[in-house]
Amino acid sequence: MGEEISNKQVILKNYVETSLKESDMSLRTSKIQLKIPSGCDGAVLVKNLYLSCDPFIINRMKKREVYIASYTPDSLITGYGVSKVLDSSHPNFKTGELVWGFTSWEEYSLIKDPNIFLTGWQEHSIIKDPKLLLKVQDKDLPLSYYTGILGMPGMTAYVGFFEFCSPKKGETVYVSAASGAVGQLVGQFAKTAGCYVVGSAGSKEKVDILKNKFGFDEAFNYKEERDYNAALKRHFPDGIDIYFENVGGKMLEAALSNMRLHGRVAVCGMISQYSLEQPEGVHNLLNLLTKRIRMEGYIVSDHYHLYPKFLEMVVPLIKEEKITYVEDIAEGIESAPGALVGLYSGRNVGKQVVVVARE
Ligand code: NAP
């Protein structure tokens, strides 16, 4: 019998109707044995070190499923994280190894039957039980990066920008929610591709970071603009070749009006719509036709087979300090509900990470 110790957990209390509140979640303490239970072959017992707050989580808290199964009330929140293996009955993992992928919002997790494959996600219109567990490849870089630049958000920026936007040197790129986990990388990737990049974000501090830390050519605070269309005209007098869409709604409408002929729109996310009861309409889709725009949505998990290629590109860029990454660190699992809620009002500056324990 292994030692039984207490295990703090974050629970979804009830389905979320519109916007998320901290009181929709609660903390509870249960018990766990730090040993794989007998008869539990192919499982991994981990100590969670970093949890990732990601915008898609609110969609899993709603009753109506979108592309990934909803949580059930009174159950644990699950999501991406970085963990250390304490015990394993899985041939691929050994005690002491560091891993990243799907875990639960608790101090220790028993991950049964983890998916170690990078393919096979595309076959599901609703991903029922998302699972992924990969070994941390490069231990010289901060471990928390596997919730961000070296993990799912990094892949999202890479796939969306390089695979869906087909950038060419000298093109103009607009990134919304540009200072966040994904956006800050898209902007920096666009600079490495020789593009002219403008980002929008929701505060003066974020705008300064976009220009002075990430090297965006220009940036603006969308909360200070009464007319997004006019703001984009000011920044892109000759139009936008590539719009990296993170926000949706009125911002998408304004971007479409400012696209150039043969422009590309990678639909990565629409965070402005996730808390609305009634999504806003977009009234100028005719631009797609008249300007021959290619607009395409994607889900990063369908493209994980590109992860090794992505690491090959991004790790040297980080090590040579050609790109940088800003994280917003919340300390302790107790801070997880507040940190998650903050995403939907822009309280985070950079990738929102929750530290559960340091290695
Ligand atoms: P993030 O940008 O680190 O955090 C969310 C940011 O969104 C906030 O900081 C806030 O920044 C902005 N925001 C919140 N509410 C907004 C609103 N009503 N209008 C405009 N901006 C708002 O998040 P992320 O992880 O990088 O994700 C960015 C987008 O990518 C999200 O839409 C997410 O759903 C999507 N995503 C998609 C995939 C995929 O597979 N397709 C994977 C990962 C993420 P401001 O201060 O600038 O408002």
Side-chain angles (χ1 to χ4, degrees), residues 1-288:
M1 281 289 263
E3 184 195 354
E4 198 178 58
I5 62 165
S6 73
N7 189 21
K8 282 188 209 151
Q9 305 179 310
V10 183
I11 306 294
L12 174 70
K13 284 205 292 204
N14 279 307
Y15 286 123
V16 173
E17 300 275 322
T18 49
S19 47
L20 177 67
K21 305 176 291 308
E22 273 189 57
S23 57
D24 292 323
M25 292 162 270
S26 65
L27 280 158
R28 79 175 175 207
T29 304
S30 72
K31 296 260 182 203
I32 188 166
Q33 279 193 4
L34 294 187
K35 194 109 198 84
I36 305 268
S38 60
C40 207
D41 287 343
V44 184
L45 185 96
V46 298
K47 175 176 179 168
N48 293 315
L49 304 175
Y50 299 98
L51 297 177
S52 177
C53 291
D54 291 298
F56 76 88
I57 290 179
I58 193 174
N59 294 322
R60 302 196 64 191
M61 293 174 157
K62 305 214 164 166
K63 197 167 186 177
R64 189 174 52 85
E65 288 183 336
V66 265
Y67 67 94
I68 187 163
S70 296
Y71 307 122
T72 44
D74 207 30
S75 69
L76 265 170
I77 292 169
T78 60
Y80 286 93
V82 181
S83 319
K84 185 171 186 163
V85 177
L86 298 184
D87 193 14
S88 170
S89 59
H90 191 289
N92 209 49
F93 300 101
K94 291 192 193 63
T95 301
E97 283 180 336
L98 294 162
V99 291
W100 75 271
F102 273 96
T103 187
S104 299
W105 281 30
E106 56 186 343
E107 291 174 290
Y108 303 93
S109 299
L110 178 66
I111 303 173
K112 292 181 182 162
D113 192 23
N115 182 5
I116 56 167
F117 303 108
L118 292 166
T119 52
W121 297 77
Q122 296 94 325
E123 292 137 35
H124 307 277
S125 62
I126 302 267
I127 302 167
K128 278 289 168 213
D129 184 13
K131 283 182 172 180
L132 182 72
L133 203 64
L134 302 177
K135 290 187 200 190
V136 162
Q137 300 281 334
D138 198 312
K139 297 181 188 104
D140 304 340
L141 295 171
L143 255 187
S144 54
Y145 276 14
Y146 286 86
T147 66
I149 185 169
L150 296 175
M152 183 277 282
M155 267 297 287
T156 304
Y158 171 77
V159 167
F161 186 64
F162 290 111
E163 299 289 318
F164 285 83
C165 296
S166 316
K168 290 189 249 349
K169 195 165 180 250
E171 287 191 318
T172 56
V173 177
Y174 171 51
V175 188
S176 54
S179 70
V182 176
Q184 59 174 300
L185 287 175
V186 175
Q188 292 182 85
F189 289 158
K191 286 313 298 174
T192 66
C195 299
Y196 176 83
V197 192
V198 178
S200 61
S203 72
K204 179 179 181 315
E205 180 194 5
K206 291 183 180 183
V207 166
D208 287 346
I209 293 175
L210 290 180
K211 290 201 280 193
N212 302 323
K213 194 161 176 78
F214 301 137
F216 281 62
D217 295 286
E218 275 302 332
F220 64 95
N221 178 353
Y222 70 93
K223 289 183 181 163
E224 285 182 349
E225 301 288 344
R226 284 180 37 207
D227 179 348
Y228 295 163
N229 191 23
L232 289 176
K233 279 215 161 27
R234 199 167 74 234
H235 286 289
F236 295 98
D238 298 321
I240 302 167
D241 292 302
I242 292 173
Y243 172 43
F244 195 94
E245 161 71 311
N246 282 321
V247 160
K250 292 191 171 56
M251 192 56 90
L252 172 59
E253 200 161 88
L256 289 179
S257 295
N258 284 278
M259 294 302 290
R260 299 184 66 178
L261 210 58
H262 302 295
R264 281 87 69 205
V265 180
V267 182
C268 171
M270 295 199 173
I271 196 166
S272 74
Q273 306 299 293
Y274 300 166
S275 304
L276 301 181
E277 209 163 339
Q278 202 56 46
E280 288 171 325
V282 173
H283 304 97
N284 58 351
L285 291 176
L286 187 61
N287 279 288
L288 299 182

Side-chain angles (χ1 to χ4, degrees), residues 318-332:
I318 304 171
K319 290 192 172 166
E320 290 160 23
E321 296 183 9
K322 292 197 172 125
I323 57 172
T324 187
Y325 201 59
V326 170
E327 298 177 314
D328 193 331
I329 304 283
E331 289 288 339

